[in-house]
Amino acid sequence: MTTTHPGATPAAPLAVAARAHTEDLRGELLALSHAVHAEPELRFEEHAAAARLRALLDAHGFAVEAGTAGLPTAFRATHEQGSGGPTLVVFCEYDALPGLGHGCGHNVIAAAGAGAALAAARLLAERRVPGRIVVLGSPGEEGGGGKVRLVEAGALDGVDAAVMVHAAGYDAVSRTNLGRLSLEAVFTGRASHASAAPEGGRNALDAATLLLVAIGLLRQQTTPDTRIHAKVAEGGQSINIIPERTRVELFARCLDSGYLRGRLLDAVRDCVRGAAIATGTSYTFDEVAPAYDPVLANPVLAGLAADAFAALGRPVPPGSGWAGAAGSTDMGNVSQRVPALHPYICAVPGTALHTRDFAAGAAGPAADAAVLDGAAMLAGVLGALFTGPDELARAKAEFAAATGGDR
């Protein structure tokens, strides 16, 4: 694995230069972050957030196209400097969590991503370096797999590398997120009067209950990085009627895609089948959303990010790997196609994602600093890739070595 030291790459001075630009853009970027935060929108319904991002990028000279990949709240915004040079993508996320609002800080992600693109465009102009900056607005990260749909529609064709920055309770340049399957089990039984004729019923809620118990026991025989969680999305219509239909939504996650698709998926399916057999119900078991791949860390890009972070007063180690706990992201699917960077920036110190506390702090002073520093950090990385062809070549070589060839 490649290692670097703070200041060893062009990313450090470029991040400092970019920070002056993000400070100049402070009002616009923080207004964007606060507006998205104040109006949380769920996956694929982010019309206001997407419109705000498009308007900001359009006002600064980006060529903006709405409805990318047939997704109404996706977009593509492009800035081109000169002819030739690499094509680098910045991803923006802006969907919120049901019931929690921006408990994952996507308002910070959106504003930092837009700020990075705008600052990087200024760096290109100042240095008269050719290249294309593409901002991809990717809706539906929270369970919808917006980036998967963009990738499948060819949004990464001709792209040399992709970056984004995620809000968190800490700073980190690289970490391997888990692959994830989105699953659904539906049990169908027979309705009957719960008191007068219980013997005539087949209880689908009992099947759902047995499934949750079976999964709880299964966890004891899975790999340490495995995560399985579920909720009963439909549990019956009336307490006086034996439930004839229930629906359980599940996520299954782990680092190893082969294990996830093989042993783990088979084991969860067996839990579903066993619950149905035990209760005399029938069942269906399906994938209901695009699968998320594990994030493939790129040590060259991580090293650039570490140098940029350090230059901005946020020293972090450039290492990557399993940290004992992680979520999942559709940026993993991007990282399996092109060299990619998915670092974290401290927006709500010491606070876990997907909590009410994080949602409350995602428009506070630390989150505002994360917008400006996150934009400058990413712009420093982009600038280093645009101005240093060797850096991009090294990132591509690392990607090819990790994937067995350029994809």
Side-chain angles (χ1 to χ4, degrees):
M1 178 176 289
T2 303
T3 58
T4 65
H5 302 285
T9 72
L14 287 166
V16 173
R19 187 62 178 83
H21 293 308
T22 62
E23 187 61 35
D24 183 53
L25 295 163
R26 166 187 283 268
E28 294 172 278
L29 297 179
L30 297 188
L32 172 64
S33 175
H34 293 175
V36 173
H37 183 270
E39 190 176 353
E41 299 166 296
L42 301 183
R43 60 178 177 262
F44 302 125
E45 298 175 4
E46 319 93 324
H47 297 282
R52 290 185 174 104
L53 279 157
R54 293 197 308 266
L56 174 63
L57 292 163
D58 177 73
H60 286 273
F62 277 64
V64 180
E65 304 169 11
T68 304
L71 299 172
T73 55
F75 67 86
R76 182 185 186 95
T78 306
H79 170 84
E80 188 160 4
Q81 168 80 23
S83 60
T87 299
L88 305 180
V89 163
V90 182
F91 277 99
C92 290
E93 299 171 2
Y94 32 87
D95 59 323
L97 290 160
L100 285 182
H102 280 289
C104 207
H106 287 195
N107 60 301
V108 174
I109 296 172
L118 297 179
R122 294 186 179 190
L123 294 178
L124 284 183
E126 290 169 353
R127 287 152 180 79
R128 299 183 180 180
V129 176
R132 282 158 302 285
I133 302 168
V134 177
V135 180
L136 284 177
S138 56
E141 190 278 334
E142 295 292 351
K147 293 186 192 63
V148 181
R149 302 180 192 204
L150 289 170
V151 169
E152 291 174 346
L156 293 180
D157 293 352
V159 169
D160 294 286
V163 304
M164 64 168 286
V165 63
H166 201 294
Y170 51 84
D171 294 325
V173 295
S174 185
R175 146 181 178 170
T176 303
N177 289 59
L178 303 175
R180 189 187 78 193
L181 299 178
S182 298
L183 307 168
E184 179 184 86
V186 176
F187 296 100
T188 302
R190 183 189 305 140
S192 186
H193 195 292
S195 179
E199 71 283 358
R202 294 291 182 270
N203 197 317
L205 184 57
D206 284 352
T209 301
L210 285 175
L211 172 59
L212 298 183
V213 172
I215 287 172
L217 296 173
L218 172 63
R219 291 189 183 105
Q220 300 177 75
Q221 279 77 49
T222 59
T223 58
D225 57 292
T226 292
R227 301 288 185 269
I228 312 171
H229 18 274
K231 74 165 186 175
V232 178
E234 296 178 27
Q237 299 298 312
S238 170
I239 195 171
N240 200 33
I241 303 171
I242 289 177
E244 64 179 342
R245 172 187 159 92
T246 56
R247 182 167 61 89
V248 181
E249 297 174 352
L250 308 99
F251 282 164
R253 316 184 198 232
C254 72
L255 282 172
D256 185 330
S257 294
Y259 179 80
L260 179 62
R261 282 270 177 206
R263 161 67 183 141
L264 186 58
L265 180 58
D266 288 345
V268 174
R269 183 182 291 107
D270 286 344
C271 290
V272 175
R273 182 185 299 114
I277 292 171
T279 55
T281 58
S282 60
Y283 74 93
T284 61
F285 183 57
D286 300 292
E287 282 190 57
V288 292
Y292 288 7
D293 289 334
V295 170
L296 178 62
N298 187 289
V300 174
L301 298 182
L304 293 174
D307 291 347
F309 260 134
L312 296 169
R314 293 176 179 260
V316 295
S320 65
W322 171 245
S328 305
T329 171
D330 53 8
M331 191 66 177
N333 301 66
V334 173
S335 75
Q336 301 289 340
R337 295 296 188 95
V338 297
L341 176 69
H342 186 264
Y344 293 83
I345 191 163
C346 185
V348 188
T351 305
L353 293 167
H354 290 212
T355 62
R356 296 192 184 280
D357 288 342
F358 199 96
D368 289 350
V371 168
L372 301 176
D373 285 350
M377 180 274 296
L378 286 184
V381 173
L382 293 170
L385 296 175
F386 278 122
T387 61
D390 289 347
E391 301 293 344
L392 183 56
R394 290 171 57 234
K396 287 185 170 184
E398 290 279 5
F399 175 79
T403 61
D406 200 356
R407 297 183 181 179

